[in-house]
Amino acid sequence: MEILERFKQIVSTKELNTVIEMGACDGTHSRIMLDILQGTGKKYTYHLFEPNADLLISIVDKIQYYLTSNGNNVKFYNEAIGATNGKTKFYKSDMNYYGSSSIRKPKKVLEGWKDMTFKDAVVDVITLDSHIKRSGFQERIIDFIWADIQGAEVDLIKGGTEALKKVRYLYTEYVNAEFYENQIGLPEILELLPNFELVEDYGGDVLLKNKNLQ
C-alpha cells in the first residue's frame, strides 16, 4: 500500500492523532498529511521540523491555513532533530537538490550526484526526547513519525530512546550505503529498534510498527 494511503488508514483508527514530521523540506508532504488529518474529522496534533531556513517561506505558504486555523495543535519548528541539544553544523545542499541537506557530512552522495554542492551552516538541534518533554507529551502516544532526515536516522534513534517507546509507527528513509558520514542502513536501524517490526519496505523508505502498541 502506498505510504500516504497507509497513513490515512492509520490515522482513521484513533479519535486523537499525534503526528511528528522531521525533514519537512518544502512542505509538500506536510500539506498532504494535514489535509488527510483534517479530513478524518478527528482531533489531531501535528508538529513538523525543518532546519533549512531557505525553505521556511515555502513551508509556511503551504500550511498557512493550518497554522492560522489550528495554531494550538499545528506547530512548525526551524530545528533539526538529532542526538544532542543546542547548535550543530548543518550541511545545506544547493537549491537544485534542496532536499539533501543534513546534519551529517556528505560522503558517497557526492559520488552519485557530482554536481551537488553543500554549504556549511549552523542550526538549532533538539533530541526527540527533549521535544516530547518540551511539548508535555510524556504520557501521550505518538501515532506516526515521518522522518526524512538524510542520513541522520541514527541521531534520531539515539536522541529518542524514551520517546520511541511510545511511537506506534515510524516511517523513515534509509540507504544501505554511507551517503553521509556514519550513516546506518536498514539492518542497523532494525537492530537499534528491537521493539519495532517491518510493515512495508518501499525500497529506500520503510514503515515500522511498534510491537508493544496497538
Side-chain angles (χ1 to χ4, degrees):
M1 182 182 295
E2 193 268 342
I3 186 56
L4 289 170
E5 285 299 315
R6 179 79 72 174
F7 174 77
K8 185 176 182 179
Q9 181 186 71
I10 289 169
V11 299
S12 67
T13 64
K14 301 291 181 181
E15 290 304 314
L16 171 65
N17 286 289
T18 301
V19 177
I20 300 177
E21 180 187 7
M22 305 165 186
C25 195
D26 64 1
T28 297
H29 286 113
S30 315
R31 179 60 191 245
I32 293 171
M33 287 190 281
L34 281 164
D35 286 347
I36 289 172
L37 287 164
Q38 186 78 4
T40 66
K42 302 174 186 295
K43 295 180 180 179
Y44 64 89
T45 297
Y46 194 98
H47 288 185
L48 63 154
F49 290 80
E50 175 52 57
N52 189 344
D54 293 343
L55 299 173
L56 301 190
I57 293 175
S58 175
I59 294 169
V60 171
D61 180 64
K62 286 184 174 67
I63 67 168
Q64 185 64 61
Y65 169 78
Y66 293 105
L67 291 172
T68 303
S69 64
N70 195 12
N72 289 331
N73 296 308
V74 179
K75 297 186 182 296
F76 173 38
Y77 299 88
N78 181 209
E79 299 171 331
I81 291 290
T84 59
N85 296 318
K87 301 282 186 178
T88 191
K89 183 175 282 190
F90 183 64
Y91 301 92
K92 186 165 64 173
S93 56
D94 63 79
M95 290 308 289
N96 290 326
Y97 296 95
Y98 60 83
S100 299
S101 303
S102 180
I103 62 174
R104 292 264 167 182
K105 187 175 181 179
K107 194 174 179 181
K108 289 185 178 180
V109 69
L110 295 172
E111 299 174 9
W113 291 267
K114 296 186 183 299
D115 59 336
M116 187 184 296
T117 60
F118 291 83
K119 291 183 178 179
D120 291 359
V122 175
V123 298
D124 293 321
V125 62
I126 189 169
T127 67
L128 177 59
D129 282 346
S130 294
H131 176 66
I132 292 299
K133 291 177 183 177
R134 173 175 69 180
S135 303
F137 290 170
Q138 294 94 323
E139 303 304 318
R140 185 183 293 201
I141 298 297
I142 307 301
D143 295 282
F144 193 93
I145 286 180
W146 177 296
D148 187 0
I149 50 179
Q150 302 299 314
E153 295 80 20
V154 66
D155 303 286
L156 160 62
I157 295 169
K158 288 184 175 180
T161 53
E162 290 303 313
L164 286 165
K165 295 175 183 177
K166 293 190 175 182
V167 172
R168 291 176 63 213
Y169 288 91
L170 170 63
Y171 176 72
T172 183
E173 185 180 39
Y174 74 87
V175 177
N176 292 325
E178 200 177 0
F179 275 20
Y180 298 84
E181 281 192 356
N182 298 313
Q183 178 177 8
I184 62 173
L186 181 56
E188 293 82 10
I189 290 172
L190 294 173
E191 184 177 352
L192 289 173
L193 296 171
N195 292 330
F196 283 78
E197 61 185 350
L198 194 152
V199 176
E200 197 149 5
D201 186 346
Y202 297 92
D205 299 285
V206 66
L207 179 64
L208 306 176
K209 184 182 187 302
N210 193 323
K211 293 181 285 188
N212 298 326
L213 299 175
Q214 296 300 315

